[in-house]
Amino acid sequence: MQTLIGTKKGQIYHLEINRPKQLNTMSKQLFQDLKASVDIINQTDDVRVVVFTGRGKHFCAGLDLKEAPSMFQTPEELDQARKSIRIYDLIKDWQLAMTSLSRIRVPVIVGIQGCCFGGAIDLITSADIKYCSEDAKFSIKEIDIGMAADIGTLQRLGQQNANTSLFREQAYTGRIFDAQEALHLGLVSKVVKNDQLNDEIFKLAEIIASKSPIGIYTIKSILTRESNLDSQLEVMARTNMSLGFTNDMPTGITALITKGKAEFPKL
Protein backbone atom coordinates (compact mmCIF):
# COMPACT_ATOMS: atom_id res chain seq x y z
CA MET A 1 0.00 0.00 0.00
CA GLN A 2 1.29 3.46 -0.90
CA THR A 3 -0.71 5.51 1.61
CA LEU A 4 -1.59 3.01 4.36
CA ILE A 5 0.56 0.71 6.48
CA GLY A 6 -0.96 -2.43 7.95
CA THR A 7 0.74 -4.34 10.75
CA LYS A 8 -0.66 -7.41 12.46
CA LYS A 9 0.16 -7.54 16.18
CA GLY A 10 -1.21 -10.82 17.47
CA GLN A 11 -4.98 -10.59 17.09
CA ILE A 12 -4.90 -6.80 16.58
CA TYR A 13 -4.49 -5.28 13.11
CA HIS A 14 -2.95 -1.79 13.17
CA LEU A 15 -3.81 0.32 10.12
CA GLU A 16 -2.03 3.68 9.77
CA ILE A 17 -2.43 6.56 7.32
CA ASN A 18 1.09 7.19 6.08
CA ARG A 19 1.18 10.65 4.49
CA PRO A 20 2.55 12.72 7.40
CA LYS A 21 4.24 15.30 5.15
CA GLN A 22 0.86 15.97 3.55
CA LEU A 23 -0.90 16.03 6.98
CA ASN A 24 -2.30 12.60 6.09
CA THR A 25 -4.71 14.22 3.64
CA MET A 26 -6.89 12.03 1.44
CA SER A 27 -5.59 11.39 -2.05
CA LYS A 28 -7.15 9.28 -4.79
CA GLN A 29 -4.65 6.55 -3.93
CA LEU A 30 -5.68 6.57 -0.27
CA PHE A 31 -9.30 5.79 -1.17
CA GLN A 32 -8.10 2.86 -3.30
CA ASP A 33 -5.75 1.62 -0.58
CA LEU A 34 -8.49 1.81 2.05
CA LYS A 35 -10.77 -0.54 0.12
CA ALA A 36 -7.88 -2.94 -0.52
CA SER A 37 -6.90 -2.90 3.18
CA VAL A 38 -10.44 -3.75 4.24
CA ASP A 39 -10.40 -6.77 1.92
CA ILE A 40 -7.14 -7.97 3.47
CA ILE A 41 -8.48 -7.57 7.01
CA ASN A 42 -11.74 -9.38 6.29
CA GLN A 43 -9.84 -12.29 4.76
CA THR A 44 -7.63 -12.74 7.84
CA ASP A 45 -9.42 -15.11 10.23
CA ASP A 46 -7.41 -14.41 13.38
CA VAL A 47 -7.86 -10.61 13.41
CA ARG A 48 -10.26 -9.70 16.23
CA VAL A 49 -9.99 -5.92 16.31
CA VAL A 50 -8.58 -3.09 14.15
CA VAL A 51 -6.78 -0.02 15.46
CA PHE A 52 -6.76 2.86 12.97
CA THR A 53 -4.41 5.84 13.41
CA GLY A 54 -2.49 8.45 11.43
CA ARG A 55 1.29 8.79 11.49
CA GLY A 56 2.80 12.11 12.50
CA LYS A 57 1.25 15.10 14.25
CA HIS A 58 -2.17 14.86 12.61
CA PHE A 59 -4.70 12.10 12.16
CA CYS A 60 -6.00 13.42 8.82
CA ALA A 61 -6.58 16.96 7.53
CA GLY A 62 -9.27 15.90 5.05
CA LEU A 63 -9.19 15.92 1.26
CA ASP A 64 -5.87 16.79 -0.39
CA LEU A 65 -6.82 20.22 -1.77
CA LYS A 66 -3.76 20.35 -4.04
CA GLU A 67 -4.89 17.13 -5.72
CA ALA A 68 -8.62 17.93 -5.60
CA PRO A 69 -8.83 19.95 -8.85
CA SER A 70 -7.40 17.02 -10.84
CA MET A 71 -9.72 14.54 -9.08
CA PHE A 72 -12.78 16.58 -10.08
CA GLN A 73 -11.50 17.37 -13.57
CA THR A 74 -13.54 16.03 -16.49
CA PRO A 75 -12.84 16.15 -20.27
CA GLU A 76 -13.70 19.57 -21.71
CA GLU A 77 -15.49 18.10 -24.73
CA LEU A 78 -18.17 16.51 -22.56
CA ASP A 79 -21.47 18.28 -21.93
CA GLN A 80 -22.50 19.06 -18.36
CA ALA A 81 -24.73 15.99 -18.02
CA ARG A 82 -21.86 13.63 -18.89
CA LYS A 83 -19.46 15.54 -16.64
CA SER A 84 -21.97 15.23 -13.79
CA ILE A 85 -22.14 11.46 -14.29
CA ARG A 86 -18.37 11.23 -13.88
CA ILE A 87 -18.51 13.29 -10.69
CA TYR A 88 -21.31 11.02 -9.45
CA ASP A 89 -19.11 7.96 -10.09
CA LEU A 90 -16.26 9.59 -8.17
CA ILE A 91 -18.47 10.39 -5.17
CA LYS A 92 -19.90 6.85 -5.15
CA ASP A 93 -16.38 5.40 -5.21
CA TRP A 94 -15.41 7.54 -2.20
CA GLN A 95 -18.61 6.59 -0.40
CA LEU A 96 -17.78 2.93 -1.01
CA ALA A 97 -14.34 3.43 0.57
CA MET A 98 -15.91 4.95 3.70
CA THR A 99 -18.64 2.31 3.89
CA SER A 100 -16.10 -0.50 3.51
CA LEU A 101 -14.49 0.63 6.77
CA SER A 102 -17.80 0.27 8.60
CA ARG A 103 -18.19 -3.20 7.13
CA ILE A 104 -14.97 -4.61 8.52
CA ARG A 105 -16.33 -7.62 10.37
CA VAL A 106 -14.48 -6.83 13.61
CA PRO A 107 -14.60 -3.64 15.72
CA VAL A 108 -12.57 -0.64 14.49
CA ILE A 109 -11.04 1.70 17.10
CA VAL A 110 -9.75 5.07 15.88
CA GLY A 111 -7.14 7.16 17.67
CA ILE A 112 -7.26 10.84 16.67
CA GLN A 113 -4.59 13.45 17.29
CA GLY A 114 -4.08 16.90 15.78
CA CYS A 115 -6.33 17.75 12.83
CA CYS A 116 -9.42 15.75 11.92
CA PHE A 117 -11.05 17.83 9.19
CA GLY A 118 -13.59 17.29 6.42
CA GLY A 119 -13.34 13.82 4.94
CA ALA A 120 -11.55 12.61 8.07
CA ILE A 121 -14.83 13.00 9.97
CA ASP A 122 -16.58 10.97 7.27
CA LEU A 123 -13.93 8.35 7.92
CA ILE A 124 -14.17 8.18 11.70
CA THR A 125 -17.97 8.09 11.74
CA SER A 126 -17.61 4.74 9.94
CA ALA A 127 -15.64 3.32 12.88
CA ASP A 128 -16.98 1.67 16.03
CA ILE A 129 -15.11 3.55 18.76
CA LYS A 130 -13.29 6.87 18.64
CA TYR A 131 -10.78 8.18 21.20
CA CYS A 132 -8.90 11.44 20.75
CA SER A 133 -6.04 13.29 22.40
CA GLU A 134 -6.49 16.61 24.20
CA ASP A 135 -4.89 18.48 21.29
CA ALA A 136 -7.29 17.11 18.66
CA LYS A 137 -9.16 19.63 16.49
CA PHE A 138 -12.19 18.88 14.34
CA SER A 139 -14.12 20.56 11.53
CA ILE A 140 -16.92 19.56 9.17
CA LYS A 141 -15.00 21.56 6.62
CA GLU A 142 -16.85 20.89 3.35
CA ILE A 143 -19.05 24.00 3.64
CA ASP A 144 -15.91 26.13 3.29
CA ILE A 145 -15.40 24.81 -0.24
CA GLY A 146 -19.01 25.42 -1.22
CA MET A 147 -20.43 21.93 -0.80
CA ALA A 148 -22.08 19.57 1.68
CA ALA A 149 -20.21 16.63 3.20
CA ASP A 150 -21.17 13.80 0.85
CA ILE A 151 -19.40 10.61 1.94
CA GLY A 152 -20.98 9.87 5.29
CA THR A 153 -20.78 12.57 7.96
CA LEU A 154 -24.27 14.06 7.49
CA GLN A 155 -25.81 10.60 7.24
CA ARG A 156 -23.93 8.65 9.93
CA LEU A 157 -23.42 11.27 12.62
CA GLY A 158 -27.07 12.20 12.36
CA GLN A 159 -27.95 8.60 13.28
CA GLN A 160 -25.35 8.23 16.05
CA ASN A 161 -27.17 10.06 18.84
CA ALA A 162 -25.32 13.29 18.14
CA ASN A 163 -26.31 16.56 19.79
CA THR A 164 -28.49 17.64 16.86
CA SER A 165 -28.36 21.39 17.43
CA LEU A 166 -24.59 21.41 17.86
CA PHE A 167 -24.12 19.05 14.90
CA ARG A 168 -26.11 21.35 12.61
CA GLU A 169 -24.20 24.40 13.84
CA GLN A 170 -20.89 22.75 13.00
CA ALA A 171 -22.09 21.52 9.59
CA TYR A 172 -23.40 24.99 8.64
CA THR A 173 -20.36 26.94 9.86
CA GLY A 174 -17.41 24.61 9.28
CA ARG A 175 -15.82 26.05 12.40
CA ILE A 176 -12.98 24.27 14.17
CA PHE A 177 -13.93 22.69 17.51
CA ASP A 178 -11.85 21.04 20.20
CA ALA A 179 -11.73 17.61 21.84
CA GLN A 180 -14.17 18.45 24.64
CA GLU A 181 -16.74 19.70 22.17
CA ALA A 182 -16.27 16.54 20.09
CA LEU A 183 -16.99 14.57 23.26
CA HIS A 184 -20.11 16.65 23.93
CA LEU A 185 -21.25 16.14 20.33
CA GLY A 186 -20.84 12.37 20.66
CA LEU A 187 -18.25 12.22 17.89
CA VAL A 188 -15.70 10.63 20.28
CA SER A 189 -16.24 8.60 23.45
CA LYS A 190 -13.06 9.50 25.34
CA VAL A 191 -10.45 12.27 25.51
CA VAL A 192 -7.01 11.27 26.79
CA LYS A 193 -3.69 13.01 27.44
CA ASN A 194 -1.64 13.51 24.29
CA ASP A 195 1.09 11.05 25.26
CA GLN A 196 -1.38 8.35 26.32
CA LEU A 197 -3.51 7.99 23.19
CA ASN A 198 -1.80 4.94 21.71
CA ASP A 199 -1.61 3.18 25.08
CA GLU A 200 -5.33 3.73 25.68
CA ILE A 201 -6.55 2.53 22.30
CA PHE A 202 -4.35 -0.56 22.33
CA LYS A 203 -5.39 -1.35 25.90
CA LEU A 204 -9.02 -1.23 24.74
CA ALA A 205 -8.18 -3.33 21.68
CA GLU A 206 -6.63 -6.03 23.86
CA ILE A 207 -9.77 -6.20 26.01
CA ILE A 208 -12.01 -6.61 22.95
CA ALA A 209 -9.63 -9.16 21.38
CA SER A 210 -9.92 -11.30 24.53
CA LYS A 211 -13.67 -11.72 24.10
CA SER A 212 -15.51 -14.40 22.12
CA PRO A 213 -14.97 -13.68 18.39
CA ILE A 214 -18.42 -15.14 17.62
CA GLY A 215 -20.03 -12.81 20.15
CA ILE A 216 -18.12 -9.79 18.87
CA TYR A 217 -18.94 -10.65 15.24
CA THR A 218 -22.64 -10.90 16.09
CA ILE A 219 -22.68 -7.58 17.96
CA LYS A 220 -20.88 -5.84 15.10
CA SER A 221 -23.25 -7.25 12.47
CA ILE A 222 -26.27 -5.99 14.42
CA LEU A 223 -24.87 -2.55 15.23
CA THR A 224 -23.81 -1.80 11.63
CA ARG A 225 -27.30 -2.17 10.18
CA GLU A 226 -27.53 1.55 9.51
CA SER A 227 -31.10 2.56 8.74
CA ASN A 228 -31.62 3.86 5.18
CA LEU A 229 -27.92 4.74 4.90
CA ASP A 230 -27.49 3.53 1.31
CA SER A 231 -30.49 5.51 0.06
CA GLN A 232 -29.33 8.64 1.91
CA LEU A 233 -25.83 8.36 0.42
CA GLU A 234 -27.38 7.91 -3.03
CA VAL A 235 -29.39 11.12 -2.64
CA MET A 236 -26.23 12.92 -1.48
CA ALA A 237 -24.21 11.70 -4.48
CA ARG A 238 -26.92 12.78 -6.94
CA THR A 239 -27.20 16.18 -5.24
CA ASN A 240 -23.47 16.90 -5.25
CA MET A 241 -22.81 15.55 -8.75
CA SER A 242 -23.55 19.00 -10.16
CA LEU A 243 -21.96 21.13 -7.43
CA GLY A 244 -18.49 20.69 -8.90
CA PHE A 245 -19.54 22.92 -11.79
CA THR A 246 -20.44 25.96 -9.68
CA ASN A 247 -17.96 28.75 -9.03
CA ASP A 248 -18.37 28.27 -5.27
CA MET A 249 -16.10 25.22 -5.05
CA PRO A 250 -13.01 26.68 -6.80
CA THR A 251 -13.59 29.94 -4.92
CA GLY A 252 -13.61 28.10 -1.60
CA ILE A 253 -10.60 25.92 -2.41
CA THR A 254 -8.57 28.94 -3.54
CA ALA A 255 -9.43 30.81 -0.35
CA LEU A 256 -8.35 27.89 1.83
CA ILE A 257 -5.05 27.40 -0.01
CA THR A 258 -4.20 31.13 -0.03
CA LYS A 259 -5.66 31.69 3.48
CA GLY A 260 -7.90 34.38 2.04
CA LYS A 261 -11.61 35.05 2.49
CA ALA A 262 -14.06 33.49 0.06
CA GLU A 263 -16.76 35.74 -1.41
CA PHE A 264 -19.68 33.69 -2.75
CA PRO A 265 -22.36 35.08 -5.12
CA LYS A 266 -26.04 35.09 -4.17
CA LEU A 267 -28.12 31.91 -4.61
Side-chain angles (χ1 to χ4, degrees):
M1 304 290 172
Q2 295 181 32
T3 64
L4 295 170
I5 295 176
T7 309
K8 188 171 173 296
K9 302 176 179 180
Q11 295 168 326
I12 299 170
Y13 193 93
H14 188 195
L15 190 61
E16 300 173 274
I17 306 175
N18 187 34
R19 304 185 76 225
K21 292 182 180 179
Q22 295 82 25
L23 308 183
N24 287 332
T25 49
M26 295 175 163
S27 62
K28 183 177 180 180
Q29 186 63 49
L30 189 146
F31 286 106
Q32 294 172 355
D33 289 349
L34 181 59
K35 288 183 289 185
S37 296
V38 169
D39 289 339
I40 291 170
I41 293 166
N42 280 339
Q43 291 166 11
T44 308
D45 290 338
D46 58 343
V47 170
R48 296 191 179 185
V49 62
V50 173
V51 169
F52 193 21
T53 61
R55 287 196 168 185
K57 294 182 178 180
H58 302 284
F59 171 70
C60 175
L63 188 65
D64 186 334
L65 293 181
K66 292 182 179 179
E67 190 178 317
S70 65
M71 287 192 274
F72 285 99
Q73 192 171 27
T74 55
E76 286 294 330
E77 66 271 15
L78 296 181
D79 58 34
Q80 186 162 329
R82 288 172 173 81
K83 289 179 179 180
S84 294
I85 290 170
R86 281 159 175 76
I87 297 298
Y88 168 82
D89 290 341
L90 176 67
I91 294 171
K92 292 301 290 184
D93 185 61
W94 291 357
Q95 288 180 348
L96 180 62
M98 296 297 105
T99 302
S100 68
L101 184 66
S102 71
R103 290 177 180 163
I104 292 177
R105 63 182 184 176
V106 299
V108 178
I109 303 167
V110 179
I112 304 152
Q113 82 287 357
C115 293
C116 183
F117 291 170
I121 294 186
D122 293 299
L123 185 61
I124 68 172
T125 57
S126 299
D128 293 274
I129 301 167
K130 286 86 69 177
Y131 282 11
C132 74
S133 58
E134 292 175 331
D135 70 349
K137 302 292 182 185
F138 302 83
S139 172
I140 304 174
K141 199 70 175 169
E142 287 84 352
I143 188 60
D144 285 342
I145 58 171
M147 62 180 291
D150 56 6
I151 53 177
T153 293
L154 299 184
Q155 293 73 30
R156 288 193 174 90
L157 195 51
Q159 293 183 10
Q160 293 174 359
N161 299 316
N163 178 325
T164 303
S165 177
L166 181 58
F167 173 40
R168 292 186 180 213
E169 176 189 332
Q170 290 161 347
Y172 289 140
T173 65
R175 67 175 175 80
I176 295 172
F177 55 99
D178 64 16
Q180 289 300 323
E181 196 166 351
L183 183 65
H184 181 55
L185 176 63
L187 183 58
V188 301
S189 57
K190 190 172 185 178
V191 178
V192 303
K193 293 186 180 301
N194 296 343
D195 60 355
Q196 295 177 6
L197 181 61
N198 272 5
D199 289 343
E200 289 288 332
I201 57 178
F202 275 98
K203 186 187 302 180
L204 177 62
E206 288 170 0
I207 293 171
I208 294 172
S210 72
K211 305 299 182 181
S212 160
I214 292 295
I216 293 294
Y217 173 85
T218 304
I219 294 169
K220 172 89 184 213
S221 65
I222 295 298
L223 293 179
T224 52
R225 291 182 182 178
E226 298 164 301
S227 176
N228 300 318
L229 178 65
D230 290 343
S231 61
Q232 290 180 38
L233 288 172
E234 175 68 15
V235 169
M236 193 73 258
R238 292 198 175 276
T239 301
N240 269 11
M241 65 191 284
S242 62
L243 294 187
F245 304 106
T246 71
N247 290 326
D248 289 28
M249 185 176 290
T251 297
I253 290 175
T254 299
L256 283 177
I257 291 175
T258 61
K259 302 186 185 304
K261 182 180 180 181
E263 296 287 346
F264 299 110
K266 66 180 180 180
L267 189 64

Short mmCIF file of all heavy atoms in Angstrom, two decimals, residues 217-238:
data_model
loop_
_atom_site.label_atom_id
_atom_site.label_comp_id
_atom_site.label_asym_id
_atom_site.label_seq_id
_atom_site.Cartn_x
_atom_site.Cartn_y
_atom_site.Cartn_z
N TYR A 217 -18.46 -10.68 16.64
CA TYR A 217 -18.94 -10.65 15.24
C TYR A 217 -20.45 -10.39 15.20
O TYR A 217 -20.93 -9.59 14.38
CB TYR A 217 -18.61 -11.98 14.56
CG TYR A 217 -19.20 -12.13 13.17
CD1 TYR A 217 -18.54 -11.62 12.06
CD2 TYR A 217 -20.43 -12.78 12.98
CE1 TYR A 217 -19.09 -11.75 10.79
CE2 TYR A 217 -20.98 -12.90 11.72
CZ TYR A 217 -20.31 -12.40 10.62
OH TYR A 217 -20.85 -12.51 9.37
N THR A 218 -21.19 -11.06 16.07
CA THR A 218 -22.64 -10.90 16.09
C THR A 218 -23.05 -9.49 16.49
O THR A 218 -23.92 -8.86 15.86
CB THR A 218 -23.28 -11.91 17.07
OG1 THR A 218 -22.88 -13.24 16.70
CG2 THR A 218 -24.80 -11.81 17.04
N ILE A 219 -22.40 -8.95 17.53
CA ILE A 219 -22.68 -7.58 17.96
C ILE A 219 -22.40 -6.59 16.84
O ILE A 219 -23.21 -5.71 16.54
CB ILE A 219 -21.85 -7.22 19.22
CG1 ILE A 219 -22.29 -8.06 20.41
CG2 ILE A 219 -21.97 -5.72 19.54
CD1 ILE A 219 -21.36 -7.95 21.60
N LYS A 220 -21.26 -6.75 16.19
CA LYS A 220 -20.88 -5.84 15.10
C LYS A 220 -21.89 -5.90 13.96
O LYS A 220 -22.30 -4.87 13.42
CB LYS A 220 -19.47 -6.20 14.59
CG LYS A 220 -19.04 -5.45 13.32
CD LYS A 220 -18.36 -4.15 13.62
CE LYS A 220 -18.04 -3.40 12.34
NZ LYS A 220 -16.83 -2.62 12.39
N SER A 221 -22.31 -7.10 13.59
CA SER A 221 -23.25 -7.25 12.47
C SER A 221 -24.59 -6.60 12.77
O SER A 221 -25.23 -6.05 11.87
CB SER A 221 -23.43 -8.73 12.12
OG SER A 221 -24.06 -9.43 13.18
N ILE A 222 -25.01 -6.63 14.04
CA ILE A 222 -26.27 -5.99 14.42
C ILE A 222 -26.14 -4.47 14.45
O ILE A 222 -26.97 -3.73 13.92
CB ILE A 222 -26.75 -6.50 15.80
CG1 ILE A 222 -27.09 -8.00 15.74
CG2 ILE A 222 -27.95 -5.69 16.29
CD1 ILE A 222 -28.21 -8.36 14.80
N LEU A 223 -25.05 -4.00 15.04
CA LEU A 223 -24.87 -2.55 15.23
C LEU A 223 -24.62 -1.81 13.93
O LEU A 223 -24.82 -0.59 13.86
CB LEU A 223 -23.74 -2.28 16.22
CG LEU A 223 -23.99 -2.71 17.67
CD1 LEU A 223 -22.76 -2.40 18.52
CD2 LEU A 223 -25.22 -2.01 18.23
N THR A 224 -24.13 -2.49 12.89
CA THR A 224 -23.81 -1.80 11.63
C THR A 224 -24.95 -1.84 10.63
O THR A 224 -24.75 -1.50 9.46
CB THR A 224 -22.54 -2.38 11.00
OG1 THR A 224 -22.66 -3.80 10.88
CG2 THR A 224 -21.32 -2.03 11.80
N ARG A 225 -26.13 -2.25 11.05
CA ARG A 225 -27.30 -2.17 10.18
C ARG A 225 -27.85 -0.75 10.23
O ARG A 225 -28.79 -0.45 10.95
CB ARG A 225 -28.36 -3.20 10.61
CG ARG A 225 -27.93 -4.63 10.36
CD ARG A 225 -29.01 -5.62 10.75
NE ARG A 225 -28.56 -6.99 10.54
CZ ARG A 225 -29.27 -8.07 10.83
NH1 ARG A 225 -30.50 -7.93 11.34
NH2 ARG A 225 -28.80 -9.28 10.61
N GLU A 226 -27.22 0.13 9.46
CA GLU A 226 -27.53 1.55 9.51
C GLU A 226 -28.78 1.84 8.69
O GLU A 226 -28.83 1.59 7.50
CB GLU A 226 -26.34 2.36 9.00
CG GLU A 226 -25.10 2.17 9.87
CD GLU A 226 -23.81 2.63 9.21
OE1 GLU A 226 -23.48 2.12 8.14
OE2 GLU A 226 -23.15 3.50 9.79
N SER A 227 -29.80 2.36 9.35
CA SER A 227 -31.10 2.56 8.74
C SER A 227 -31.06 3.52 7.56
O SER A 227 -30.65 4.69 7.70
CB SER A 227 -32.08 3.09 9.80
OG SER A 227 -33.32 3.37 9.24
N ASN A 228 -31.48 3.04 6.39
CA ASN A 228 -31.62 3.86 5.18
C ASN A 228 -30.33 4.55 4.74
O ASN A 228 -30.37 5.51 3.98
CB ASN A 228 -32.71 4.93 5.38
CG ASN A 228 -34.07 4.33 5.69
OD1 ASN A 228 -34.46 3.33 5.08
ND2 ASN A 228 -34.78 4.92 6.63
N LEU A 229 -29.17 4.06 5.22
CA LEU A 229 -27.92 4.74 4.90
C LEU A 229 -27.64 4.75 3.40
O LEU A 229 -27.28 5.78 2.83
CB LEU A 229 -26.75 4.08 5.64
CG LEU A 229 -25.38 4.68 5.34
CD1 LEU A 229 -25.29 6.11 5.84
CD2 LEU A 229 -24.27 3.83 5.96
N ASP A 230 -27.80 3.61 2.74
CA ASP A 230 -27.49 3.53 1.31
C ASP A 230 -28.34 4.51 0.49
O ASP A 230 -27.82 5.18 -0.41
CB ASP A 230 -27.70 2.10 0.79
CG ASP A 230 -26.65 1.13 1.32
OD1 ASP A 230 -25.60 1.61 1.80
OD2 ASP A 230 -26.88 -0.09 1.26
N SER A 231 -29.62 4.60 0.81
CA SER A 231 -30.49 5.51 0.06
C SER A 231 -30.12 6.97 0.34
O SER A 231 -30.17 7.82 -0.56
CB SER A 231 -31.96 5.25 0.38
OG SER A 231 -32.23 5.45 1.76
N GLN A 232 -29.73 7.27 1.58
CA GLN A 232 -29.33 8.64 1.91
C GLN A 232 -28.03 9.02 1.20
O GLN A 232 -27.88 10.16 0.72
CB GLN A 232 -29.16 8.78 3.42
CG GLN A 232 -30.47 8.72 4.19
CD GLN A 232 -30.26 8.86 5.69
OE1 GLN A 232 -29.40 9.62 6.13
NE2 GLN A 232 -31.02 8.12 6.46
N LEU A 233 -27.08 8.10 1.13
CA LEU A 233 -25.83 8.36 0.42
C LEU A 233 -26.08 8.54 -1.08
O LEU A 233 -25.43 9.36 -1.74
CB LEU A 233 -24.84 7.23 0.66
CG LEU A 233 -24.23 7.16 2.07
CD1 LEU A 233 -23.41 5.88 2.23
CD2 LEU A 233 -23.36 8.38 2.35
N GLU A 234 -27.03 7.79 -1.61
CA GLU A 234 -27.38 7.91 -3.03
C GLU A 234 -27.94 9.30 -3.33
O GLU A 234 -27.56 9.95 -4.31
CB GLU A 234 -28.39 6.83 -3.42
CG GLU A 234 -28.92 6.92 -4.84
CD GLU A 234 -27.88 6.62 -5.90
OE1 GLU A 234 -26.80 6.06 -5.57
OE2 GLU A 234 -28.13 6.94 -7.08
N VAL A 235 -28.83 9.77 -2.47
CA VAL A 235 -29.39 11.12 -2.64
C VAL A 235 -28.27 12.16 -2.57
O VAL A 235 -28.23 13.11 -3.37
CB VAL A 235 -30.45 11.41 -1.56
CG1 VAL A 235 -30.84 12.89 -1.55
CG2 VAL A 235 -31.68 10.55 -1.79
N MET A 236 -27.32 11.98 -1.64
CA MET A 236 -26.23 12.92 -1.48
C MET A 236 -25.35 12.95 -2.73
O MET A 236 -24.93 14.03 -3.20
CB MET A 236 -25.39 12.52 -0.27
CG MET A 236 -24.41 13.58 0.20
SD MET A 236 -25.20 14.97 1.03
CE MET A 236 -25.17 16.21 -0.28
N ALA A 237 -25.05 11.78 -3.28
CA ALA A 237 -24.21 11.70 -4.48
C ALA A 237 -24.89 12.39 -5.66
O ALA A 237 -24.24 13.13 -6.43
CB ALA A 237 -23.90 10.24 -4.82
N ARG A 238 -26.20 12.18 -5.81
CA ARG A 238 -26.92 12.78 -6.94
C ARG A 238 -27.09 14.29 -6.75
O ARG A 238 -27.16 15.03 -7.73
CB ARG A 238 -28.27 12.10 -7.12
CG ARG A 238 -28.12 10.66 -7.59
CD ARG A 238 -29.38 10.07 -8.19
NE ARG A 238 -29.13 8.75 -8.72
CZ ARG A 238 -28.62 8.49 -9.92
NH1 ARG A 238 -28.31 9.50 -10.74
NH2 ARG A 238 -28.41 7.26 -10.33
#
